[in-house]
Amino acid sequence: MIQVTHLSFDGMEARAAIEIDGELTEVFLRTVRPIRRPRRWGDVWAPFGLFPAMRLEQDVAFNVPISRRRRRNLSHAQDVLVSWFPGDFVKVRLQAPRATPINPRRKRRLGQLFTGGVDSFFTLLTNPRIDCLIYAYDLHNEPARITDLLKPHLRAIANHYGKELIELEYNARISLDAYADWGKQSFPAVLSSFAALLTGELDEIIIPSQDAGTEADFWANHPDINDWWAPGYVSYLDGAGDVSRFVKTTLIAKDEFARDHLRVCWQATDRLNCGHCEKCMRTRTALEIVERGVTSDAFPTCLALSDFTGLNLSDVIVHEMWMDNLNAALAAGRHDLARAIKKAFANSVS
């Protein structure tokens, strides 16, 4: 049995130990300023015991209560994960003390999990009711240079749009990455732990979603599973998962500040966007289709047709998103870009 124990919270840092086959792994989530205690402590840590348990086919036990809603939602989330990845997971039981109800607050504050990417900026620009932006620095995987660049970058965005910024730090992936794929399986579960940690501060949280795509496109941040990650005492709101990435980029292109502060890259190590990876190229191409000759301070150079050389578009989800770019290029009469995209498709056949 997986055990989640040694839970503590000092007003800024939350800690827990995950015991697997007699070995303890300590994980933490912390904020850069004091916050109110989470409304349901067990909800914060539920995903960190769940994934090892599902992978190892063991039940998981907690020594603090988990809300009834969190239990119910995690049961549904397990059903989805098992149906998507039957060779990776089995459904397991969560054992925890029974939780007593907590009265809801009257005032409702809305937060948004924010990365600075296309989905995040679209959600921010289309939801004026948002009170604060939330970002979590991954101290285990994110290069220190990127963290140093991100902090003033995110604070400038929050200040420009008049939003509070709640900054978190975490090492919690050290207990997950051996048992679940970050991009396809565990990412939104960790986001839900951030939401649970902030239930003393917020009542509603928006998680920006990518569009659902085809039925075969099983991805962690997917509309079919996002709602089931919601912890107790905080509501998840729709993050525009039914809007294509190209349509979202079209709106961002018209906001100069948003356009200049996009951060879409996950490969760069010394700047926020490398400019040449598939994701950077997809975004730059969409911006160019929307507005010919558009410039963006987010990327190191202007788009050139030679940048498409060597671009690998063979992944099914990536291919679908680039088809949106191709169709938009043809509709806009940008046959130069359409030819470049078609050539990249042809060269990416695996």
Side-chain angles (χ1 to χ4, degrees):
M1 171 152 331
I2 310 296
Q3 301 276 348
V4 181
T5 61
H6 299 83
L7 280 67
S8 65
F9 177 68
D10 65 5
M12 292 180 65
E13 183 173 84
R15 284 189 170 270
I18 316 298
E19 183 177 348
I20 302 173
D21 295 333
E23 293 190 8
L24 286 177
T25 300
E26 290 194 359
V27 295
F28 66 79
L29 311 172
R30 64 186 178 217
T31 58
V32 299
R33 67 161 177 83
I35 61 170
R36 299 179 184 88
R37 184 178 178 84
R39 306 195 82 200
R40 184 62 70 199
W41 191 223
D43 286 21
V44 175
W45 298 110
F48 297 100
L50 181 65
F51 280 100
M54 293 180 69
R55 175 73 74 169
L56 298 175
E57 302 184 23
Q58 300 181 31
D59 293 338
V60 56
F62 300 81
N63 61 3
V64 293
I66 297 174
S67 69
R68 182 179 301 177
R69 181 188 182 198
R70 183 67 146 167
R71 286 173 180 266
R72 182 180 66 249
N73 285 354
L74 288 178
S75 177
H76 290 299
Q78 288 191 75
D79 290 337
V80 175
L81 287 170
V82 170
S83 70
W84 284 359
F85 308 103
D88 291 348
F89 302 121
V90 299
K91 191 170 184 179
V92 298
R93 291 185 303 161
L94 275 70
Q95 300 180 16
R98 184 178 297 276
T100 56
I102 299 175
N103 293 329
R105 291 187 295 260
R106 292 184 179 181
K107 183 180 179 181
R108 301 195 66 80
R109 297 189 71 224
L110 174 62
Q112 178 199 334
L113 291 162
F114 187 85
T115 64
V118 169
D119 296 322
S120 287
F121 261 114
F122 179 83
T123 299
L124 173 60
L125 295 175
T126 55
N127 290 273
R129 194 169 65 84
I130 290 170
D131 296 300
C132 69
L133 305 179
I134 306 157
Y135 185 82
Y137 301 99
D138 183 351
L139 301 184
H140 184 60
N141 292 277
E142 199 163 69
R145 173 61 177 157
I146 296 299
T147 299
D148 291 342
L149 291 171
L150 267 175
K151 288 182 177 181
H153 181 80
L154 293 168
R155 290 165 189 171
I157 293 170
N159 182 65
H160 178 80
Y161 292 103
K163 310 298 182 185
E164 178 188 357
L165 178 64
I166 297 179
E167 297 171 278
L168 309 174
E169 297 175 337
Y170 70 103
N171 76 336
R173 283 181 61 182
I174 63 174
S175 70
L176 289 177
D177 284 356
Y179 305 101
D181 182 277
W182 176 249
K184 292 190 174 183
Q185 295 168 341
S186 60
F187 171 57
V190 174
L191 297 186
S192 78
S193 290
F194 302 154
L197 182 66
L198 296 173
T199 50
E201 303 287 321
L202 301 168
D203 305 279
E204 297 174 310
I205 289 181
I206 299 179
I207 295 186
S209 301
Q210 66 179 26
D211 55 299
T214 67
E215 292 183 0
D217 297 340
F218 302 142
W219 198 251
N221 189 19
H222 191 286
D224 285 358
I225 197 170
N226 277 350
D227 286 347
W228 298 130
W229 290 123
Y233 307 103
V234 63
S235 298
Y236 273 11
L237 303 183
D238 181 17
D242 58 344
V243 181
S244 76
R245 191 175 186 86
F246 182 82
V247 170
K248 293 176 181 178
T249 307
T250 299
L251 177 66
I252 293 167
K254 302 179 187 305
D255 185 312
E256 183 179 0
F257 185 91
R259 191 174 70 225
D260 286 343
H261 287 78
L262 276 171
R263 187 246 178 162
V264 299
C265 190
W266 56 271
Q267 296 188 25
T269 58
D270 60 354
R271 58 179 299 130
L272 295 184
N273 295 299
C274 72
H276 299 290
C277 70
E278 179 279 320
K279 200 171 181 185
C280 283
M281 282 295 296
R282 188 197 324 153
T283 307
R284 294 171 69 200
T285 302
L287 290 171
E288 176 67 20
I289 294 169
V290 174
E291 187 174 342
R292 182 188 291 267
V294 68
T295 60
S296 170
D297 291 345
F299 302 102
T301 61
C302 294
L303 183 67
L305 294 179
S306 60
D307 293 337
F308 289 83
T309 303
L311 199 57
N312 185 353
L313 309 180
S314 58
D315 179 86
V316 61
I317 301 176
V318 167
H319 186 279
E320 184 172 319
M321 291 179 175
W322 274 94
M323 281 301 301
D324 284 346
N325 276 358
L326 174 59
N327 292 332
L330 291 170
R334 292 302 305 271
H335 299 291
D336 55 337
L337 294 178
R339 285 191 295 270
I341 295 170
K342 288 179 179 178
K343 186 175 180 179
F345 279 147
N347 292 336
S348 299
V349 176
S350 56

